[in-house]
Structures are given as C-alpha cells and as structure tokens.
Amino acid sequence: MTTLQQLKQLIEASSDAELKSQALTLITTAETEVTGLGEEKVALLRKRDELLGKLNKFKKFEAHADVDIDELLQIKGRYESLDSESKSKYQELYDKDKTAFDKRLEQIEKERAQEKLDRENEQKTLAAEKLKTTTILELSKPEYNVFDPEQLFMLVGSQIRLSEAGKLVSGDEYKEVAIADFLGGLKDQPRYQNQFKANGANGSGSVPSQGSGGSGTVNPWKKESFNLTAQGRMMRENPTLAASMKAAARVK
C-alpha cells in the first residue's frame, strides 16, 4: 500500500466532513500529478534510448578528441526536452556545436578519401617499378641480343605487362603473347631493328667489322634505324665501319 493510499484511508475515517472533502480533493490532484510524472518518465526513457542509438552510430569517431559526441548529444537532448520559450536560450549553442561536428565529420571523410587515394597511387608506383625492373632484367638475357634493355623498355614498355602468373607478356588477357615472341616481332619491324645486335655481334654489343653495308649490320645513321647509342658504340669500337656507315647514310 502506497503512502497516498494510507493517507486516504485515514481521511475517510475522519468525522470532519469539510476537512475530509478538502483532503480528498488534494489527494486526487496529487494522484493525477503522479500519473503525469510517470508518463513524462516514460517519454524521457524513450528519448534516452533514441540518443543512445545515435551515440552508437557515431562510435567510430570517438578517437578524434576534438569532437565531443557525448556533450553534443547531451545538449541536443536537453534542447529537445525544453519548451518553445526556453529553447531560444540554447539554440545558438546547439547550432554552433552541431556545425563544428558536421565540419569535423566532413574533414574526416576527406582525410580518409585522400588516404585511400595515396595508397592506390603508391601501389601503382610500386607495380610500375616492379614491371620495369623485371622487364629490363629479362631483356638483358643474351638470347634476345638487345643493345640497350633500358632504352628498349622506354620505347615498348607500355606494351608489356605482368600476367596473373607473374610472367612477362604483351597483349590483353584474352590474347597474351610471350615476351620472346613479342621481341621476335619487334625485330621484324624496321623502327626497332636498330635496338637489337646484328647476327654475330659479340657479348659486349659491338658490331663486327663487315665493311660498309655488310650483311646483318644495321646502319644507325639511317633515318629508319637512327640510334645515337649504337652510333657512339660503333665510333668507339670500329671507327672505319662507322665512317662507311655515315657515308652510306650521307651524313657528314
């Protein structure tokens, strides 16, 4: 039995009718107020659960010390529970804190997007360096007879890639061409012939003396096979052949 119920029994037992009537009226009013408080308590509990849900939604931002989410939610909760007259006192504070929170949230999203972009660019750079190193090492093998592997990579590197199996190939995934076949095709193209050693060239890349225009010797002074690297090598190793090549290409 509650205190109000006990008080009501005592008043009903009283013989003073006027006092009894006034007391019962007061008790009825008190019971009504208690009922209203109960309903308000339920509403506050519902609002608390709603704010806790929002707090859990933003848990991932707790690491950022400059954003006090607990304080923001408390201010928001107090603001929404006020009447229209009292709300004006907290409107400016609420809007200010909410604006700061929104700006920080936007900044965090931009930082994360930039971090993702930086990681992707770094991965692309590492992949490009790996492809370059792997290709130059492969082109340096004696069976390919490449004069300058790094120079050849600069010319055709965009046509070479690493397959899923980690092998150097050319072409797309639907028609892959092995690196040996790709280089063989380059040798048949006049614009790339000067990138390969002639048959019988020694391991250092020097061209054997075969006289002017000897068979198998590419003239690095001609327009279709112009190559400054090969010119310099030939002038150092075989000045006579270099002179005849220049004359054949009509170079002074």
Side-chain angles (χ1 to χ4, degrees):
M1 181 179 296
T2 66
T3 302
L4 284 175
Q5 290 174 333
Q6 292 176 354
L7 181 59
K8 191 173 183 180
Q9 286 183 352
L10 291 174
I11 292 173
E12 288 176 348
S14 174
S15 60
D16 189 332
E18 183 178 357
L19 176 62
K20 181 178 180 180
S21 175
Q22 293 177 354
L24 288 175
T25 300
L26 291 174
I27 290 176
T28 301
T29 302
E31 288 176 338
T32 302
E33 290 177 350
V34 169
T35 302
L37 289 174
E39 294 175 351
E40 184 177 353
K41 178 179 179 182
V42 171
L44 289 173
L45 289 174
R46 187 182 301 112
K47 179 61 66 176
R48 182 204 63 183
D49 293 339
E50 178 184 345
L51 293 177
L52 287 175
K54 293 181 179 179
L55 177 62
N56 290 331
K57 180 180 178 181
F58 293 103
K59 280 291 186 182
K60 59 181 178 181
F61 299 110
E62 287 183 351
H64 301 279
D66 52 340
V67 178
D68 192 336
I69 296 176
D70 289 334
E71 182 179 1
L72 176 61
L73 293 177
Q74 288 172 8
I75 293 173
K76 185 176 185 295
R78 291 198 300 270
Y79 171 78
E80 292 180 345
S81 66
L82 297 173
D83 55 36
S84 58
E85 182 179 353
S86 301
K87 279 185 178 181
S88 59
K89 299 178 182 179
Y90 296 94
Q91 183 69 51
E92 183 178 353
L93 177 61
Y94 171 75
D95 290 342
K96 181 179 178 181
D97 280 12
K98 184 177 185 301
T99 299
F101 174 81
D102 290 340
K103 287 183 177 179
R104 181 54 182 151
L105 180 60
E106 181 180 2
Q107 181 182 355
I108 291 171
E109 291 175 346
K110 289 182 178 179
E111 289 174 355
R112 290 182 175 176
Q114 185 61 48
E115 289 173 0
K116 180 181 178 182
L117 180 61
D118 291 343
R119 286 195 300 270
E120 291 175 350
N121 289 336
E122 183 179 2
Q123 291 173 352
K124 289 179 180 178
T125 299
L126 292 174
E129 289 296 327
K130 179 181 179 181
L131 175 63
K132 179 179 179 180
T133 301
T134 304
T135 303
I136 291 176
L137 287 174
E138 182 70 17
L139 297 180
S140 300
K141 292 181 178 180
E143 59 263 35
Y144 297 127
N145 291 324
V146 176
F147 268 127
D148 189 334
E150 188 168 356
Q151 184 182 47
L152 182 58
F153 177 79
M154 291 175 62
L155 294 174
V156 301
S158 61
Q159 303 177 51
I160 301 173
R161 64 181 178 85
L162 282 169
S163 67
E164 293 184 358
K167 296 184 179 296
L168 288 170
V169 296
S170 181
D172 56 34
E173 58 183 350
Y174 300 105
K175 188 178 180 181
E176 292 184 348
V177 179
I179 189 67
D181 296 332
F182 173 70
L183 294 174
L186 292 181
K187 292 179 181 179
D188 296 333
Q189 301 180 40
R191 62 179 297 190
Y192 295 118
Q193 287 177 353
N194 61 315
Q195 297 296 323
F196 298 91
K197 302 171 186 175
N199 293 332
N202 60 38
S204 64
S206 62
V207 179
S209 177
Q210 297 180 14
S212 60
S215 62
T217 303
V218 177
N219 189 336
W221 278 274
K222 286 188 175 182
K223 183 178 180 180
E224 64 272 15
S225 56
F226 189 82
N227 188 311
L228 289 174
T229 302
Q231 290 176 13
R233 184 182 296 111
M234 188 180 294
M235 291 176 68
R236 290 194 305 272
E237 299 176 356
N238 196 331
T240 302
L241 179 59
S244 64
M245 290 286 184
K246 290 172 68 175
R250 297 182 180 180
V251 177
K252 295 183 179 179

